[in-house]
C-alpha cells in the first residue's frame, strides 16, 4: 500500500528515542520529512542525524511545558521544509506510584507537561493544518483500564482521550483528523524502568507477557508502523477514535 507520505512533513515530540523515534523512522522510510523535538536538544539532534540529516529530519530542543514550544515547532517545520501536515504528540510518562501517594507538586508538574502541554500543542498545530492533516496523541492503555502503580497516568490519560475526541469534532469539518494511540507493553526505556522498579525485571517481564495474547512485548517499530499509517493519507477516514497497540491485552471489545 502507498501511504501517500512522500514529501509530507510531520512534527514529533518526545522523539529522540522510544515510540516517537520509532514513528519518525517509519515516516521517513516512506518518504516523509520530520521535525524531532525533545527536552534534550543534543539527543534530538543525534536522532535527526540517524534519520539522514537535514534533507529528511531536523531537530530542536524543546519542552512541552513551555507555552512557546508549539509555535516554535510549527515555525521550524515551515522554515525547514515549507509545509506542515501533522504531528505525533508524545511526552514522557509521569513517575510511578499510586494516585494517593503522589504529592501535589507531582500532580501539578504532570498536569503542566503531560496534560496541558499536550493540549496546547495539539490545538496550536491543529489550527495550522490544511485539509488532510492529522494529529496522533500517544496515550496509554490506561485510557481504558487503570494500570497498577501508575496513578498519575491513570488520572490524566483518559482526560486526554476525551480532549482528542472533542478536537476531532471541532476540526473535522476542516478535514483535520485527531486520533489517540494506546500503546501497551512495548520495549522502550520507560518499560525497562518499570520492570527494573519491580525488583525482579525478568519475572516482571514474564508476568507482563503472560497477560498479552501474543505472549510477547512489542518492539518500538511495531508501534511506529501503526502511528505512521494513522498519520498518513491512507487513514483519511479515521478520526475521533483511540487505537490500542497492545497485542490484544485490553479485554474490551
Amino acid at each position: 500500500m502507498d501511504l501517500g507520505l512522500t514529501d509530507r512533513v510531520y512534527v514529533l515530540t518526545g522523539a529522540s528515542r522510544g515510540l516517537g523515534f520509532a514513528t519518525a523512522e517509519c515516516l521517513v522510510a516512506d518518504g516523509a520529512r520530520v521535525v524531532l523535538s525533545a527536552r534534550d536538544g543534543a539527543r534530538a539532534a543525534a536522532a535527526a542525524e540517524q534519520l539522514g540529516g537535514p534533507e529528511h529530519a531536523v531537530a530542536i530542543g524543546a519542552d512541552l511545558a513551555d507555552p512557546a514550544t508549539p509555535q516554535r515547532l510549527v515555525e521550524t517545520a515551515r522554515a525547514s521544509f515549507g509545509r506542515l501536515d501533522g504531528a505525533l504528540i508524545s511526552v514522557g510518562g509521569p513517575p510511578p506510584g499510586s494516585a494517593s501517594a503522589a504529592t501535589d507538586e507531582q500532580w501539578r508538574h504532570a498536569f503542566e507537561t503531560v496534560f496541558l502541554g499536550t493540549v496546547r500543542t495539539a490545538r496550536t498545530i491543529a489550527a495550522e493544518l490544511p485539509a488532510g492533516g492529522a494529529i496522533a496523541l500517544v496515550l496509554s492503555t490506561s485510557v481504558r483500564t487503570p494500570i497498577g502503580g501508575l496513578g498519575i497516568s491513570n488520572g490524566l490519560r483518559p482526560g486526554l482521550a476525551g480532549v482528542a475526541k472533542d478536537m476531532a469534532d471541532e476540526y473535522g469539518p476542516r478535514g483535520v483528523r485527531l486520533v489517540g494511540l494506546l500503546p501497551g507493553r512495548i520495549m522502550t526505556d520507560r518499560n525497562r524502568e518499570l520492570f527494573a522498579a519491580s525488583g525482579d525485571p525478568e519475572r516482571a517481564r514474564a508476568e507482563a507477557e503472560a497477560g498479552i495474547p501474543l505472549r510477547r512485548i512489542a518492539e518500538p517499530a511495531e508501534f511506529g508502523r501503526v502511528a505512521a499509517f494513522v498519520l498518513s493519507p491512507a487513514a483519511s477516514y479515521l478520526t475521533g477514535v483511540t487505537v490500542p497497540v497492545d497485542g490484544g491485552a485490553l479485554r474490551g471489545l
Side-chain angles (χ1 to χ4, degrees), residues 132-179:
I135 295 173
L137 306 186
V138 181
L139 304 176
S140 165
T141 53
S142 63
V143 164
R144 297 193 187 175
T145 186
I147 298 174
L150 294 180
I152 296 179
S153 180
N154 293 336
L156 298 182
R157 303 291 192 188
L160 284 172
V163 168
K165 181 68 171 177
D166 189 80
M167 287 187 176
D169 291 343
E170 180 177 357
Y171 293 106
R174 285 184 36 222
V176 173
R177 302 182 295 108
L178 282 97
V179 174

Side-chain angles (χ1 to χ4, degrees), residues 3 21-22 25 41-42 52-53 58 76 80 83 124-125 128 139 144 155 201 210 213 215-216 219 225 228 238 245-246:
L3 298 183
F21 182 72
E25 284 188 301
V58 297
T76 300
S80 301
R83 60 187 287 177
T124 300
I125 292 176
E128 300 284 344
L139 304 176
R144 297 193 187 175
R215 293 297 190 271
R216 62 182 178 82
E219 292 300 319
R225 288 190 287 270
L238 192 68
V245 188
D246 68 344

Side-chain angles (χ1 to χ4, degrees), residues 7 10 16 18-19 31 35-36 83 98 117 119 124 172 192 212 214 226 249:
D7 293 332
Y10 296 91
S16 63
L19 303 183
V35 175
L36 308 182
R83 60 187 287 177
S98 70
V119 172
T124 300
R192 289 188 183 92
I212 300 169
L214 290 179
V226 175

Side-chain angles (χ1 to χ4, degrees), residues 223-244:
F223 174 90
R225 288 190 287 270
V226 175
F229 167 74
V230 165
L231 289 169
S232 78
S236 58
Y237 207 57
L238 192 68
T239 192
V241 296
T242 53
V243 179

Side-chain angles (χ1 to χ4, degrees), residues 31-88:
R33 293 170 289 179
V34 296
V35 175
L36 308 182
S37 80
R39 282 178 291 182
D40 187 330
R43 182 173 281 175
E49 282 301 311
Q50 281 185 257
L51 295 174
E55 286 188 19
H56 305 282
V58 297
I60 64 171
D63 189 339
L64 289 193
D66 180 355
T69 290
Q71 194 59 41
R72 282 185 63 205
L73 295 171
V74 171
E75 291 169 0
T76 300
R78 289 188 171 150
S80 301
F81 301 119
R83 60 187 287 177
L84 178 61
D85 298 285
L88 181 86

